[in-house]
């Protein structure tokens, strides 16, 4: 079984002044204690090789502002030596048979194809005997071409493509730096992925607008985009998210949400309407991650998504300069764990600081949540969204609570029919 959490933490100034040779020579020792036979360490780090830089300027992006917040250079780039340090440490600290590298941003394809060719070379060099290396790449699809797709196919990258529905919904918030629509260029990327027979998922941010068109969005993704997996994530941020880290809100003056954020009840409406269509027509044929996740939980197989698990903290983020943060959505100075050039990545991940972060997901729930009949399907959802008060005035309730309850009521009502279908 996978072990979680042990040891120390560190965080010190950046290493941008060092040469590549100096970086390569820095090899922090892994200090994780050995585990009992059958136990192993496993974690997941999302890599930001181009920092927050992107070739789009989506109005709801939760990451673009990190350029200013983290004082990144105009063109942040992970050096080859730091890339090697990350790959070596990441593989060394993992004890399972599978090691998954997730490349995100910003926009990771800005690094260029040569960078990723080097990635697979280094992965082969450091892979342990019996390990399987997997890669996934989250992209807006703008830079995809035949060369990129040939590479992704050859090396079995799972691609995540960001698309928010048909053009009239997608282009409202997803546009270029010059304010130009991106839909047609994204759909060219979709065509290329199908041409090269690349496995990909569609990542749709459900926002204030497209949440009110659930069937239009779902049918478009199902019939026109045709991904293997459909992922719906709620677009939610407090109005002050660019400067205030999650959990650091004033409890006496809790924030409102950014204007593009999905309304809580609309999130429930969206999921339940899509569930109805999926359950009637597409069960067993179309993979929608929220639905597979809640079914897994209902039948005792556990959460497949960190947001609905009892603890979190196993999915971290590493920036282009080697700084490691507690979570992709917690890339703020307050949640920096350290830098891999000073402390081994494995020790940062299993540090006391990260342990505290992980267990706070369930330990800090308000009484209202602990009394909820859907507690074990939700566990308060993502802590970054817990910025409203319960009906009795206790802070820490998830902004999406009303919508989540709608969805869980719909899904659990189908338990009997699901049980029958699963037995066939």
């Amino acid at each position: 079984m996978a072990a979680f959490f042990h040891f120390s933490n560190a965080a010190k100034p950046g290493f941008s002044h060092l040469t590549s040779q100096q970086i390569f020579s820095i090899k922090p020792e892994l200090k994780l204690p050995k585990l009992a036979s059958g136990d192993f360490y496993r974690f997941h780090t999302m890599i930001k090789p181009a920092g927050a830089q992107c070739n789009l300027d989506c109005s709801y992006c939760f990451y673009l502002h990190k350029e200013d917040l983290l004082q990144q250079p105009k063109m942040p780039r992970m050096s080859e030596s730091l890339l090697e340090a990350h790959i070596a440490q990441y593989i060394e600290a993992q004890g399972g048979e599978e090691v998954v590298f997730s490349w995100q941003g910003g926009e990771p394809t800005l690094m260029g194809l040569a960078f990723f060719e080097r990635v697979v070379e280094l992965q082969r060099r450091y892979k342990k005997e019996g390990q399987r290396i997997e890669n996934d790449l989250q992209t807006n699809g703008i830079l995809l071409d035949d060369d990129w797709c040939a590479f992704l196919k050859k090396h079995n990258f799972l691609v995540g493509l960001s698309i928010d529905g048909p053009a009239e919904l997608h282009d409202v918030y997803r546009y270029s730096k010059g304010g130009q629509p991106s839909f047609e260029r994204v759909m060219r990327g979709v065509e290329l992925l199908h041409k090269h027979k690349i496995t990909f998922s569609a990542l749709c941010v459900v926002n204030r607008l497209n949440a009110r068109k659930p069937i239009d969005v779902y049918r478009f993704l199902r019939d026109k985009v045709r991904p293997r997996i459909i992922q719906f994530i709620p677009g939610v941020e407090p109005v002050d998210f660019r400067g205030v880290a999650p959990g650091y809100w004033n409890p006496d003056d809790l924030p409102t949400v950014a204007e593009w954020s999905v309304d809580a009840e609309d999130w429930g409406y969206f999921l339940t309407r899509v569930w109805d269509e999926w359950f009637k027509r597409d069960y067993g044929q179309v993979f929608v991650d929220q639905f597979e996740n809640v079914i897994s939980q209902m039948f005792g197989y556990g959460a497949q998504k960190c947001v609905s698990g009892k603890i979190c903290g196993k999915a971290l983020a590493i920036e282009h300069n080697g700084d490691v943060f507690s979570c992709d959505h917690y890339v703020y100075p307050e949640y920096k764990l350290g830098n891999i050039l000073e402390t081994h990545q494995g020790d940062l991940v299993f540090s006391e600081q990260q342990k505290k972060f992980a267990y706070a997901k369930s330990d800090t729930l308000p009484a209202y949540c602990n009394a909820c009949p859907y507690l074990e399907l939700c566990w308060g959802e993502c802590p970054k969204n817990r910025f409203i008060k319960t009906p009795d005035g206790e802070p820490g309730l998830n902004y999406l609570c009303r919508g989540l309850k709608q969805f869980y009521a719909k899904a659990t009502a189908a338990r009997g029919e699901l049980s029958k279908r699963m037995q066939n």
Side-chain angles (χ1 to χ4, degrees):
M1 59 185 292
F4 199 44
F5 296 123
H6 290 0
F7 269 33
S8 64
N9 77 75
K12 285 289 186 277
F15 294 82
S16 59
H17 63 287
L18 298 180
T19 66
S20 294
Q21 186 174 0
Q22 288 173 319
I23 290 175
F24 184 76
S25 68
I26 299 174
K27 296 181 179 180
E29 179 185 356
L30 179 63
K31 299 178 181 178
L32 289 175
K34 291 185 178 181
L35 300 173
S37 177
D39 291 351
F40 58 89
Y41 292 104
R42 186 173 183 180
F43 62 96
H44 183 218
T45 303
M46 285 170 276
I47 311 142
K48 312 282 189 174
Q53 188 180 23
C54 189
N55 50 356
L56 292 184
D57 197 19
C58 303
S59 54
Y60 59 53
C61 184
F62 73 94
Y63 212 79
L64 282 175
H65 76 282
K66 308 298 182 187
E67 291 180 312
D68 296 327
L69 182 70
L70 303 180
Q71 298 181 333
Q72 294 184 347
K74 288 187 176 180
M75 291 184 64
R77 295 291 185 268
M78 180 174 280
S79 67
E80 182 175 330
S81 52
L82 201 143
L83 171 68
E84 183 167 358
H86 165 63
I87 290 174
Q89 291 184 24
Y90 191 60
I91 291 175
E92 182 185 9
Q94 305 272 2
E97 294 180 355
E98 180 185 66
V99 180
V100 179
F101 287 81
S102 294
W103 306 93
Q104 298 194 355
E107 175 51 46
T109 59
L110 290 172
M111 294 299 296
L113 198 48
F115 175 86
F116 285 95
E117 290 170 341
R118 184 60 173 157
V119 163
V120 296
E121 290 175 5
L122 291 169
Q123 289 171 341
R124 281 195 293 264
R125 177 187 301 178
Y126 287 100
K127 183 180 72 168
K128 300 174 190 175
E129 184 177 354
Q131 276 187 333
R132 184 175 74 257
I133 304 294
E134 302 286 351
N135 287 281
D136 58 70
L137 178 83
Q138 184 64 41
T139 179
N140 57 37
I142 301 298
L143 294 180
L144 293 182
D145 58 19
D146 285 317
D147 289 340
W148 262 109
C149 288
F151 169 84
L152 296 170
K153 178 66 176 178
K154 178 180 179 181
H155 297 288
N156 298 311
F157 273 61
L158 172 64
V159 175
L161 186 80
S162 297
I163 186 165
D164 289 353
E168 66 272 16
L169 298 174
H170 174 92
D171 283 335
V172 173
Y173 297 123
R174 298 189 64 82
Y175 40 76
S176 71
K177 299 293 185 182
Q180 296 301 306
S182 65
F183 178 81
E184 293 300 331
R185 288 179 290 168
V186 175
M187 288 304 293
R188 283 198 293 271
V190 169
E191 292 171 5
L192 282 164
L193 292 170
H194 281 296
K195 173 185 173 182
H196 288 266
K197 296 181 172 57
I198 294 170
T199 300
F200 75 99
S201 63
L203 177 65
C204 174
V205 176
V206 180
N207 52 62
R208 184 62 59 93
L209 181 65
N210 64 3
R212 296 164 186 172
K213 300 282 187 178
I215 300 304
D216 292 351
V217 171
Y218 174 66
R219 290 178 178 173
F220 170 79
L221 295 175
R222 180 192 67 195
D223 301 336
K224 302 298 183 182
V225 179
R226 310 185 317 282
R228 174 177 290 187
I229 301 168
I230 297 175
Q231 297 173 274
F232 295 119
I233 62 171
V236 177
E237 293 292 348
V239 70
D240 58 359
F241 76 99
R242 291 178 178 84
V244 179
Y248 283 79
W249 311 292
N250 180 351
D252 297 320
D253 186 24
L254 292 172
T256 56
V257 295
E259 55 87 20
W260 40 257
S261 294
V262 62
D263 180 80
E265 292 185 351
D266 284 348
W267 176 234
Y269 171 73
F270 183 95
L271 290 177
T272 55
R273 291 287 288 117
V274 174
W275 172 280
D276 286 339
E277 169 95 354
W278 172 82
F279 199 67
K280 179 180 179 180
R281 295 185 49 179
D282 302 324
Y283 175 87
Q285 304 298 318
V286 178
F287 188 107
V288 180
D289 71 337
Q290 277 86 353
F291 302 165
E292 302 291 337
N293 179 65
V294 75
I295 292 170
S296 175
Q297 290 178 284
M298 282 195 290
F299 287 90
Y301 296 104
Q304 299 175 352
K305 295 165 67 71
C306 61
V307 295
S308 54
K310 186 175 182 178
I311 63 172
C312 57
K314 292 186 182 180
L316 298 89
I318 182 168
E319 259 291 346
H320 73 288
N321 63 350
D323 287 344
V324 178
F325 296 85
S326 289
C327 171
D328 185 33
H329 287 276
Y330 283 75
V331 179
Y332 292 83
E334 293 88 342
Y335 294 97
K336 179 180 169 182
L337 298 172
N339 189 288
I340 67 169
L341 298 181
E342 183 172 81
T343 305
H344 196 289
Q345 188 170 168
D347 292 321
L348 293 175
V349 172
F350 294 97
S351 65
E352 289 300 320
Q353 181 180 344
Q354 186 66 357
K355 177 179 178 179
K356 181 179 178 181
F357 174 85
Y359 286 99
K361 187 176 192 295
S362 54
D363 289 347
T364 61
L365 285 172
Y368 182 80
C369 293
N370 284 315
C372 179
Y374 305 122
L375 172 65
E376 294 189 0
L377 298 178
C378 177
W379 292 108
E381 209 253 354
C382 184
K384 83 174 184 68
N385 296 329
R386 297 181 190 171
F387 51 80
I388 65 172
K389 293 183 178 181
T390 66
D392 57 1
E394 187 179 2
L397 183 65
N398 195 295
Y399 165 80
L400 296 169
C401 178
R402 287 172 296 162
L404 290 167
K405 284 184 172 181
Q406 289 180 47
F407 172 58
Y408 291 135
K410 170 70 68 172
T412 54
R415 185 185 181 96
E417 177 60 24
L418 281 165
S419 184
K420 293 177 185 178
R421 293 186 186 187
M422 292 169 69
Q423 292 172 8
N424 294 334

